[in-house]
Amino acid sequence: MWKHRLRVDFHLGIVVMFGAITVLGIAPFGIYRHLTGEWLIALIDLVIVASIVGAVLYAWRTGRTAGVASFLAATYSLGCVAVAHLAGLPGLLWVYPVLVANFLLVRRWPALLISAAAAAAVMASDAALATPVEKILFMVTAIVVSLFSFVFASRAELQRSQLEAIALRDPLTGAGNRRGLELELHAAIVTSQRQATPLGMLIFDIDHFKAINDDFGHEAGDDVLVQLATVVRGSTRANDRFFRLGGEEFTLLLPGASGAALWAIAEKLRSAVETDVQCRGRTVTISIGAASHQGGESAAEWLARADAAMYRAKRGGRNRTMTADDGDGPS
Ligand SMILES: Nc1nc2c(ncn2[C@@H]2O[C@H](COP(=O)(O)OP(=O)(O)OP(=O)(O)O)[C@@H](O)[C@H]2O)c(=O)[nH]1
């Protein structure tokens, strides 16, 4: 389970890896400083390690990695500035790995800003850099390391966004794919539980889609899928998440919607598809299963309830919505 999360969530993987490296890299120095009686530096090391561990645990629990990554970059940078001013050379030696880490943790422009601020603050330390020549040498090497990292981060960001688009999107409809859904389900559940807001799911499937393919050809079928995606986007809000599960089956994650509201959204969507999606004059309809997330329910259980409701809608005659929740519309 934890291995799977680290594999599929790139940002969480980075944050956890940096947390582990921090503990392994800084904790022994903290112990050493404690043994040599350098209490202030030992305390700084302890504060860095404790706050990084706390931040990583927070990211693991909530799935909120962006804020934690910025916190890590700021903590590392402040840490090496403080050690440079207090202990001289040791702080200076930490600057270079910290400059590289900043570009791996946050986007390239904020990383450049944090790195420039950290390098300028270290340069002001007479304990670390005694002469003007040393200061200039440090400035030039810090700029070179930052620019190398900036170029590398730019390439990596571009490649990652291209790969994400390929790996997480369905190329035909532009909707997220099943893998994209898996990634977002966990984060959506955690957010709704933390904010105590409802979270709804619709699973819907085109009725008699095989007949459309058989009668008009695969291309006409593809065109129906594209039309359907356009109608879904037109009838949902910006923070609603839309995915193609495979074939002619789709799902919508609807933050803030549950119960009667969820059922009303489903019915609005069903009627919009019936009115606006056509194939050579033939009306296209969908069957919908609706389910509100229940506290303590796993993503798989929730999906299964919505799916079962959708199959009830199929068995009940198609072109209808069935809900998995008690007391809201037909169930
Ligand atoms: N054009 C096109 N067809 C697809 C695609 N993916 C799956 N299909 C077809 O979708 C059809 C699904 O057929 P069924 O599972 O029998 O479902 P159905 O005909 O919609 O019947 P009900 O769901 O019971 O109403 C099959 O003919 C698949 O070949 C696609 O990307 N493009």
Side-chain angles (χ1 to χ4, degrees):
M1 164 68 184
W2 63 272
K3 273 189 194 163
H4 177 70
R5 260 192 91 191
L6 288 180
R7 213 173 24 241
V8 296
D9 190 336
F10 173 82
H11 295 288
L12 186 65
I14 292 269
V15 161
V16 170
M17 202 168 65
F18 272 69
I21 293 171
T22 307
V23 173
L24 293 175
I26 299 182
F29 285 103
I31 296 167
Y32 168 74
R33 300 284 181 191
H34 173 75
L35 293 175
T36 55
E38 293 165 282
W39 306 111
L40 194 53
I41 299 182
L43 186 69
I44 290 173
D45 287 344
L46 179 73
V47 169
I48 292 174
V49 169
S51 40
I52 298 290
V53 169
V56 170
L57 289 175
Y58 174 78
W60 183 266
R61 210 170 52 81
T62 62
R64 297 170 103 187
T65 49
V68 169
S70 307
F71 175 78
L72 257 59
T75 307
Y76 291 149
S77 301
L78 277 174
C80 73
V81 170
V83 177
H85 280 266
L86 288 170
L89 188 66
L92 203 62
L93 296 177
W94 280 110
V95 171
Y96 297 98
V98 165
L99 293 181
V100 176
N102 287 343
F103 285 90
L104 291 171
L105 283 166
V106 296
R107 298 182 82 84
R108 61 194 196 278
W109 287 107
L112 198 61
L113 212 71
I114 298 172
S115 298
V122 168
M123 224 170 79
S125 158
D126 291 333
L129 299 158
T131 67
V133 173
E134 282 175 4
K135 286 185 194 291
I136 290 170
L137 192 63
F138 168 76
M139 187 184 74
V140 172
T141 52
I143 289 174
V144 168
V145 169
S146 297
L147 290 182
F148 280 165
S149 305
F150 184 86
V151 171
F152 179 77
S154 304
R155 299 301 311 165
E157 266 178 38
L158 182 69
Q159 280 178 339
R160 213 169 60 75
S161 65
Q162 286 172 340
L163 282 175
E164 254 178 23
I166 294 168
L168 303 177
R169 298 236 142 252
D170 166 46
L172 180 66
T173 60
N177 61 18
R178 192 176 270 275
R179 208 173 114 76
L181 173 67
E182 273 176 27
L183 270 182
E184 290 206 22
L185 261 180
H186 178 79
I189 291 174
V190 168
T191 305
S192 110
Q193 283 174 342
R194 196 184 52 244
Q195 297 175 348
T197 50
L199 180 61
M201 178 193 289
L202 302 180
I203 290 189
F204 49 98
D205 185 283
I206 301 175
D207 297 326
H208 302 301
F209 190 56
K210 186 171 179 317
I212 293 173
N213 273 328
D214 291 349
D215 295 350
F216 306 117
H218 206 266
E219 265 181 37
D222 281 0
D223 180 57
V224 166
L225 293 170
V226 173
Q227 284 185 56
L228 175 77
T230 308
V231 169
V232 170
R233 284 195 196 92
S235 359
T236 47
R237 293 181 182 170
N239 66 337
D240 297 338
R241 314 293 297 145
F242 176 40
F243 303 90
R244 183 180 178 192
L245 292 175
E248 80 290 21
E249 191 175 0
F250 296 85
T251 187
L252 265 171
L253 287 185
L254 301 146
S258 73
L262 182 63
W263 196 78
I265 295 168
E267 277 297 284
K268 193 179 120 204
L269 175 66
R270 189 190 59 73
S271 116
V273 170
E274 191 175 15
T275 316
D276 297 337
V277 182
Q278 294 207 339
C279 185
R280 314 260 172 96
R282 187 186 289 179
T283 301
V284 174
T285 61
I286 54 173
S287 299
I288 308 181
S292 314
H293 184 257
Q294 324 259 286
E297 185 176 44
S298 74
E301 288 164 344
W302 185 30
L303 267 168
R305 275 197 312 120
D307 208 39
M310 193 271 288
Y311 278 103
R312 280 208 308 281
K314 289 274 182 193
R315 283 199 304 275
R318 296 181 174 78
N319 190 23
R320 67 194 59 214
T321 301
M322 289 285 176
T323 174
D325 306 328
D326 294 333
D328 301 302
S331 58

